[in-house]
């Protein structure tokens, strides 16, 4: 992985519709699926129960690959696979850590109302919630959240390079050292 871009001023990370306190933004270049998985494992070390992580990127960008790494880093039970057809999967912890709730919001049109209809059997405050395709749908779940935007080349390409932007929103992420993820 290449070194991240210099962290931006938290005040610059906050948009007009975001809370006034936001964490720094970090950009990382990932060159392979294994590096994306490793980024997920490293990110897991920064996560705690109650965290909401929103993953955005084109089909095949690496959202589920990153979530596999998150699951490995959190030490949860069960293979992390795409929840496209079941909408949500709960992965209980193997140890003392929080469960991982992996949601695919692609087919959810009603936003938070649809999320409530999922009847998740774990409390949101006790779990790490990872939502693929959640932008514009699940922001209301938490004032503090981490947006992960994965850019990749589109079209007929075998290019494995991904540009990952991590942007924390809210007090929770204001002091988290996201830049350490590139080490």
């Amino acid at each position: 992985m290449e070194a991240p871009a210099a962290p931006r001023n938290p005040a610059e990370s906050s948009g007009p519709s975001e809370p006034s306190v936001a964490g720094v933004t970090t950009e990382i270049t990932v060159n392979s699926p294994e590096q994306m998985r490793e980024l997920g494992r490293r990110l897991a070390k920064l996560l705690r129960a109650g965290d909401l992580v929103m993953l955005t990127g084109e089909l095949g960008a690496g959202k589920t690959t990153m979530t596999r790494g998150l699951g490995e880093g959190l030490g949860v039970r069960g293979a992390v696979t795409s929840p496209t057809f079941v909408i949500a999967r709960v992965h209980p912890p193997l140890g003392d850590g929080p469960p991982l709730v992996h949601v695919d919001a692609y087919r959810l049109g009603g936003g938070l109302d649809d999320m409530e209809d999922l009847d998740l059997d774990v409390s949101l405050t006790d779990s790490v919630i990872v939502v693929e395709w959640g932008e514009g749908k699940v922001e209301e779940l938490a004032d503090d959240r981490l947006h992960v935007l994965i850019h990749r080349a589109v079209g007929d390409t075998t290019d494995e390079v991904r540009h990952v932007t991590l942007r924390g929103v809210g007090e929770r992420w204001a002091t988290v050292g996201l830049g350490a993820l590139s080490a």
Side-chain angles (χ1 to χ4, degrees), residues 1-7 25-29 164 166 177-183:
M1 289 185 279
E2 293 178 11
T25 297
T26 298
E27 297 177 6
I28 300 170
T29 298
V164 182
L166 298 106
L178 293 174
L181 294 171
S182 64

Side-chain angles (χ1 to χ4, degrees), residues 63-148:
K63 297 178 297 295
T64 300
T65 300
M66 177 179 274
T67 306
R68 280 189 194 105
L70 288 171
E72 291 167 6
L74 291 170
V76 298
R77 184 168 32 109
V80 174
T81 60
S82 177
T84 299
F85 298 105
V86 295
I87 309 295
R89 293 185 196 278
V90 177
H91 298 275
L94 292 170
D96 294 334
L100 170 67
V101 178
H102 184 197
V103 179
D104 185 329
Y106 183 76
R107 294 186 294 145
L108 299 179
L112 196 55
D113 290 338
D114 281 352
M115 289 295 292
E116 290 173 356
D117 290 343
L118 293 178
D119 194 26
L120 299 174
D121 55 344
V122 210
S123 171
L124 294 178
T125 59
D126 296 334
S127 305
V128 170
I129 310 296
V130 176
V131 182
E132 296 185 26
W133 306 98
E135 191 168 5
K137 297 178 183 177
V138 299
E139 286 86 346
E140 294 176 33
L141 283 176
D143 290 336
D144 300 316
R145 58 193 173 273
L146 180 64
H147 292 253
V148 179

Side-chain angles (χ1 to χ4, degrees), residues 5-11 13 21-27 146-147 165-170 173-180:
R8 296 184 186 136
N9 181 330
S13 299
V21 178
V24 296
T25 297
T26 298
E27 297 177 6
L146 180 64
H147 292 253
T165 303
L166 298 106
R167 182 175 56 91
V169 173
W173 296 101
T175 60
V176 174
L178 293 174

